[in-house]
Amino acid sequence: TARFKEKGLEMRADFSAERIVAHIDRDKIIQVFTNLVGNSLKFTVRGYIEISVRDTPEAVACVVSDTGRGIGGEDLPKVFSKFQQFGRESGPGEKGTGLGLSIAKEIVELHGGKIRVESMLNEWTRFSFSLPKQ
């Protein structure tokens, strides 16, 4: 919350249940959320970041969406590739390795889930992933 306040962003949370039961590696799923929210914080200068977790009979549906700068349509197919960074400007600012999203994808898939991204350049980005209940 400190980084949200520092940047003047609204943090929204939408959870379908107080407690959701699923067989997951808790630390690894926290890593996925940390990466997705961290990316949203890097690329959102105004508006909000929303975290949504929905409990369905078959899966846990998770979404991290923001009102950030978005990703161009030509870059969307490469988002989960290793060492990919889009719109990185030289000079000061937050830097990364370009590995976070490929690691997040691997973690979700090791849980038997799927992850996807939707975005509109200069408007919003939405990462969604599902974790099947086993």
Side-chain angles (χ1 to χ4, degrees), residues 55-98:
D55 191 11
T56 72
E58 303 83 30
V60 179
C62 308
V63 178
V64 175
S65 57
D66 63 56
T67 55
R69 71 179 192 205
I71 302 164
E74 69 280 358
D75 292 327
L76 284 173
K78 301 179 276 186
V79 162
F80 296 107
S81 300
K82 290 182 180 176
F83 306 112
Q84 286 297 317
Q85 294 185 340
F86 306 107
R88 174 72 185 111
E89 298 171 6
S90 59
E94 297 191 53
K95 294 178 175 59
T97 61

